[in-house]
Structures are given as structure tokens and as C-alpha cells.
Amino acid sequence: MSEPIRVVVADDHPIVRAGIVGLLDSEPGIEVVGEAVDGGEAVALATELQPDLVLMDLRMPVLDGAAATERIVASVGGTGTRVLVLTTYETDDHILAAIEAGASGYLLKAAPQEEILAGIRSVAAGETVLAPSIAAKLVARVRTGATAAADPAPTLSPRELDVLRLVADGRSNPEIGRMLHIGEATVKTHLIHVFEKLEVSDRTRAVTRAMELGLL
């Protein structure tokens, strides 16, 4: 038979901690080897006992769960001890703090017992586990960050936009000049500026690129 998964449970609420320990003790293949009432004790027990996994709450005295996770990963990373966050908090700040600290998973206490047990086994096996709502938040955060990090849309002058709109309508340069009461050479100059700003080389691409950027 394979060795049981050795777990340290870190939670400052006695009743909650007892419930988690009771759940794990009744599960074949999982052994609770220590209980921590704060983040500092969690780090100490992880260092002393070198468990396979620390089940970590986030809001705890002395040292919060994210800080405790960071210390455990840094001090016992070579031993294979992994951290699975089990908490009631699912704000972006809490999630990112835990993941950046090195947690291998993030589950909510409201999750079904089967999900928590499966998460423990998966993390102990080297996998990463995220509650569905947590995964959705991280994906949204990444997408928002990618959008914010992207180059801003170029700014076209009102006259350049007028010219481009008429190009999109299929108007020729002479027609655009007559409609805007400007010379054909001026129309060409505006288009050259538009091409440069949109980093394109022809009228069709200028229109499609402007649509992609929401300029038209």
C-alpha cells in the first residue's frame, strides 16, 4: 500500500479546524500529522514535520496565510511540501496573494467535501487545483491585465476620421475632397497620416484596422 498523504491543518477557528481534521481523519490515505492555530505555527510545523501538504487558511493571527505560504515554500520547497489554501475568501487580492506566494491550490470552505478531498489528493500528486469561481476570476484578471497592457489605440484627428469614414463608404479621393471641401492632395495627406498611425499600407487595411480598434 502507498504511504498516506501527511497533512498539517492550519486554521485559527477551533470548531472549523476540528471539522476539517475530522473529515481528513475519516478518509483513507490521508493522515493529519499536525494542527496550527496561526500562520507562524504553520511555518514551524511544516519545517519540523515536513508534511506532504499544508491545508492553509488565509485570515490568521501572527502571520496570515499568504505570508505563511511564502515562507513554507521558500524554506521547505526542496522537501516537496505543498500548500493548498482552504478559505472563505475569494477576492482578487486574496487569490493573487496566495498564488503569488506559491500556493498550489485554492479552494473554498463552502465546497463539497468530495471536492476538498479530491483537491488534497491532486495537490499532493503535484497538480494545481482551483475552485471554479477562483479560476474564472483569475482568467478575467489575466484578460483585463492583457488589455490594459496592450498598446493604446492611436488617436486620429477629426478630419482624419472624416476621411476614413468616407473611405469606408467606398468613396474615391476626388469624391472625398468634394464632400469635405478640401483638395485631393489634402485628402492624400490625411490618408498618409492615417496609414502611419494605424501602421498599415493600404485603404482596405486602414478601414479594417480602425474597426478592430473601435475607431469606426
Side-chain angles (χ1 to χ4, degrees):
M1 294 182 62
S2 60
E3 294 293 324
I5 300 170
R6 302 173 64 253
V7 179
V8 165
V9 177
D11 198 303
D12 63 319
H13 295 285
I15 295 177
V16 173
R17 190 174 66 252
I20 295 172
V21 171
L23 170 66
L24 301 188
D25 278 341
S26 65
E27 184 68 12
I30 298 177
E31 177 187 2
V32 176
V33 296
E35 298 179 41
V37 299
D38 58 56
E41 188 173 5
V43 174
L45 286 177
T47 303
E48 175 189 353
L49 301 174
Q50 297 185 6
D52 299 303
L53 182 144
V54 176
L55 200 58
M56 182 79 72
D57 189 20
L58 286 183
R59 289 280 185 88
M60 291 188 293
V62 181
L63 200 62
D64 66 30
T69 296
E70 187 172 17
R71 294 191 185 184
I72 290 171
V73 171
S75 63
V76 300
T79 68
T81 298
R82 297 166 68 84
V83 177
L84 172 59
V85 170
L86 183 65
T87 185
T88 57
Y89 305 99
E90 55 177 320
T91 65
D92 287 0
D93 289 343
H94 284 115
I95 298 167
L96 288 176
I99 299 301
E100 289 174 356
S104 297
Y106 197 118
L107 296 177
L108 301 176
K109 290 179 179 176
Q113 292 183 353
E114 294 78 11
E115 184 178 321
I116 295 173
L117 293 171
I120 290 173
R121 296 184 188 282
S122 294
V123 169
E127 300 174 12
T128 298
V129 174
L130 295 173
S133 62
I134 302 302
K137 283 178 177 288
L138 286 177
V139 169
R141 183 76 173 232
V142 169
R143 287 177 177 168
T144 301
T147 301
D151 293 335
T155 301
L156 302 183
S157 71
R159 182 57 85 189
E160 289 166 352
L161 283 171
D162 289 339
V163 170
L164 192 56
R165 289 190 186 101
L166 291 173
V167 169
D169 289 339
R171 304 292 183 175
S172 66
N173 287 358
E175 288 177 316
I176 294 171
R178 287 194 298 271
M179 296 177 73
L180 297 180
H181 306 290
I182 58 177
E184 187 176 343
T186 303
V187 173
K188 291 179 180 179
T189 299
H190 285 314
L191 282 175
I192 289 172
H193 292 160
V194 169
F195 291 173
E196 290 176 347
K197 290 180 179 181
L198 298 182
E199 299 181 344
V200 298
S201 58
D202 61 74
R203 298 160 71 94
T204 301
R205 183 55 185 150
V207 172
T208 56
R209 180 61 178 153
M211 290 179 173
E212 290 170 359
L213 295 171
L215 298 175
L216 291 179

